[in-house]
Amino acid sequence: MVDNTPPSGEGAQLIEVRTAAVPHVVPTLRTIVADIAMRQDFDLDAVEDLRMAVDEACSMLLPSASDGQLNCVFSWKDGRIEVTVSVLSDSPEPDDETGLSWQLLTALATSARRSVVPADGGYLSRVELIRESEAARP
């Protein structure tokens, strides 16, 4: 199994969800990130941005899930939330950083990154998002 844990600092809280790669589970993942953001005192606009960012990340990866599984890791500490969404796929998909979905994703997150690496006879496609609260920014 590939380690999907985001690079969080010591003392960070973590939730990992492994589920079927089907669209009807995305609202649950959106709810989880919204709950985390609210508990971290993110403003309402940031909470909604995170919900939409998780939705976009899942929408980008769901079609390529070759084993029917989706992994989502939420990590948070001190006004910073990291989300990593990943799937195993049969082929490496090129990073499309010009598409509307990617442009929306990067607008909703403080930072976003997409990667594809060889894993388990296929490829691990991953989208990593970071969102910081306005209060946490210097």
Side-chain angles (χ1 to χ4, degrees):
M1 181 54 94
V2 178
D3 181 17
N4 294 320
T5 307
S8 300
E10 185 175 317
Q13 302 289 320
L14 185 104
I15 295 173
E16 182 174 4
V17 178
R18 294 177 188 210
T19 185
V22 292
H24 70 267
V25 302
V26 175
T28 301
L29 301 174
R30 290 170 42 113
T31 300
I32 291 169
V33 79
D35 183 70
I36 292 167
M38 286 186 283
R39 292 174 189 270
Q40 292 294 299
D41 293 326
F42 279 63
D43 63 50
L44 292 176
D45 288 335
V47 171
E48 190 56 31
D49 286 352
L50 274 164
R51 289 172 54 85
M52 289 188 297
V54 167
D55 191 89
E56 278 304 312
C58 291
S59 295
M60 290 172 67
L61 295 176
L62 282 175
S64 63
S66 61
D67 67 350
Q69 297 294 307
L70 175 80
N71 192 55
C72 191
V73 178
F74 304 92
S75 178
W76 65 98
K77 180 182 178 186
D78 300 331
R80 177 184 171 105
I81 298 173
E82 298 178 30
V83 181
T84 301
V85 181
S86 59
V87 298
L88 284 175
S89 59
D90 289 330
S91 62
E93 295 183 23
D95 294 340
D96 181 13
E97 295 185 6
T98 60
L100 181 60
S101 289
W102 185 253
Q103 296 301 317
L104 179 59
L105 193 62
T106 57
L108 296 169
T110 303
S111 69
R113 187 175 78 128
R114 184 163 184 192
S115 62
V116 179
V117 296
D120 296 335
Y123 298 89
L124 179 67
S125 296
R126 179 185 302 179
V127 174
E128 299 171 64
L129 310 169
I130 296 174
R131 179 66 190 238
E132 296 173 339
S133 70
E134 293 297 324
R137 293 184 186 173

